[in-house]
Amino acid sequence: MRALLDTSVLIGELPPPDEVEAAISVVSIAELHFGVLIAEDDDERALRIARLSAIEATFDPLPLSVDVARVWGQLAAAVTRRGGNPRRRQLDLAIAATARVEGVPLLTENVGDFQIIHDLIDARRLSDC
């Protein structure tokens, strides 16, 4: 199965199943760089740098394209229409839009982050795969 990994999976303890052909969004790389930069503890920063380095060596991240931007806007509008605040989850929405454009499920540890648009994207908990 092809799937897009959410950042929550990249920083989680469980690896994706062997049968998953995994991809990531460039947005996850941005989130991981941010995590390195805000780490207050040297040991935690070193751990985050090592994780980021391994991820960058493993994946060729999918870019933000015009198609992703279009779907991102559609998802943010849907969140707004449904009473949510899309500004709180902009990066999650960008990752979800990437999965939708690629036509693959989004594997995440935070399915609840996508509940408001559950009918628009295929978000699955990693542990359910």
Side-chain angles (χ1 to χ4, degrees):
M1 164 180 78
R2 291 182 59 231
L4 188 72
L5 304 181
D6 185 33
T7 309
S8 64
V9 171
L10 297 173
I11 64 173
E13 295 184 16
L14 293 176
D18 290 337
E19 63 271 9
V20 171
E21 182 185 332
I24 66 169
S25 168
V26 70
V27 175
S28 290
I29 297 296
E31 288 185 310
L32 294 170
H33 274 282
F34 174 69
V36 166
L37 294 170
I38 64 166
E40 295 180 8
D41 175 83
D42 290 341
D43 290 337
E44 180 63 24
R45 185 176 301 106
L47 176 68
R48 291 178 184 190
I49 289 170
R51 180 185 300 127
L52 174 58
S53 296
I55 290 167
E56 287 184 327
T58 302
F59 294 98
D60 183 17
L62 298 169
L64 291 177
S65 64
V66 171
D67 289 338
V68 171
R70 186 176 298 112
V71 172
W72 183 0
Q74 292 168 355
L75 294 176
V79 168
T80 300
R81 282 192 304 273
R82 295 171 182 191
N85 181 355
R87 294 183 189 273
R88 291 185 53 225
R89 294 279 178 211
Q90 283 298 325
L91 297 180
D92 291 334
L93 292 174
I95 293 169
T98 302
R100 187 163 164 198
V101 167
E102 293 294 318
V104 298
L106 174 61
L107 299 186
T108 181
E109 289 298 336
N110 303 320
V111 174
D113 290 349
F114 306 98
Q115 184 58 36
I116 197 167
I117 53 170
H118 69 90
D119 58 322
L120 301 177
I121 63 162
D122 181 4
R124 303 177 190 180
R125 188 175 316 279
L126 176 65
S127 57
D128 291 342
C129 291

